[in-house]
Amino acid sequence: TARFAPPKPATARVTAAPRTVDETWTIHGAGRTAGQNNTQFVSDLALTNLGTATANVTISFVGPGALPAKPVTIAGGATTVYRNVLDALWSATGLVGALSVHADQPLVLHARTYNTAATGTFGVALPVYSSDHLIGEGETADSLWVQQDPSSSSGFRTNVGVVFPDAGGGDAVVALYDAAGSAVGTLNYSSASAGFQQQSVASAVPSGLPVG
């Protein structure tokens, strides 16, 4: 003998509301400034809204210049690209810092800084950090593969940039180690307000650092 459960009554289909967020991403190393041999360093920023609702976005420059925050909107499924973002949004030059992007919808971000040489562009993609991936007070993080050639005209050179996104600024110490794990120098950063600071490894290790 088989028993069958009675059919369930029909229910109305529920459509999920568009997802909303309150997220801030930080992108350090953005700028527009002169490089060696009459070249220019610039940064691009791309933002993609993978959702269906319009994203309300605020783009801020964290660094010198007191540039005003820029509100923009990105339609659902759309991508907005700012080539040379400091010029495109602020008509600014001679600045290096970080970008802060706040949105009420999930975004995919991509940024790069590159040198516009006569023979092409040379640069790197910039990492994007959500707020919960920033180093907090008293925390330590590590970065691999630091190289500094003692020559200013050849070899690899490394700069270390630190972003202080909070209005109260902060302090940070970067310790440098050689390949054997021995401490070889430190870089100290301090800011009384939100900002970006960058120092060359050469200032802490003038004799060079083949790998660290």
Side-chain angles (χ1 to χ4, degrees):
T1 302
R3 291 187 177 182
F4 299 92
K8 294 181 179 180
T11 56
R13 181 179 178 182
V14 178
T15 302
R19 179 186 174 193
T20 58
V21 300
D22 183 18
E23 183 63 275
T24 300
W25 298 270
T26 300
I27 307 168
H28 71 281
R32 183 188 180 197
T33 188
Q36 293 183 345
N37 303 317
N38 297 317
T39 59
Q40 190 78 202
F41 278 98
V42 299
S43 300
D44 296 343
L45 174 65
L47 310 97
T48 299
N49 179 3
L50 296 181
T52 58
T54 297
N56 298 293
V57 183
T58 301
I59 304 174
S60 304
F61 180 74
V62 183
L67 303 180
K70 293 290 186 177
V72 300
T73 57
I74 304 174
T79 295
T80 298
V81 179
Y82 295 100
R83 303 290 185 187
N84 191 354
V85 62
L86 265 75
D87 181 59
L89 291 182
W90 295 284
S91 299
T93 187
L95 300 177
V96 178
L99 297 174
S100 177
V101 179
H102 179 269
D104 62 358
Q105 296 293 324
L107 299 180
V108 175
L109 307 178
H110 176 77
R112 67 175 185 138
T113 289
Y114 55 96
N115 195 324
T116 56
T119 54
T121 62
F122 303 87
V124 295
L126 300 177
V128 179
Y129 297 98
S130 58
S131 299
D132 58 346
H133 282 78
L134 297 179
I135 302 173
E137 183 178 358
E139 295 180 343
T140 300
D142 301 291
S143 182
L144 303 177
W145 200 2
V146 175
Q147 288 184 271
Q148 183 67 39
D149 195 279
S151 171
S152 61
S153 59
S154 65
F156 289 97
R157 297 182 297 275
T158 301
N159 296 324
V160 181
V162 174
V163 182
F164 297 100
D166 292 343
D171 300 282
V173 178
V174 175
L176 301 170
Y177 298 86
D178 63 17
S182 299
V184 294
T186 58
L187 298 171
N188 294 280
Y189 302 78
S190 182
S191 179
S193 59
F196 173 86
Q197 296 178 359
Q198 179 173 280
Q199 298 184 50
S200 170
V201 170
S203 62
V205 192
S207 59
L209 186 62
V211 62

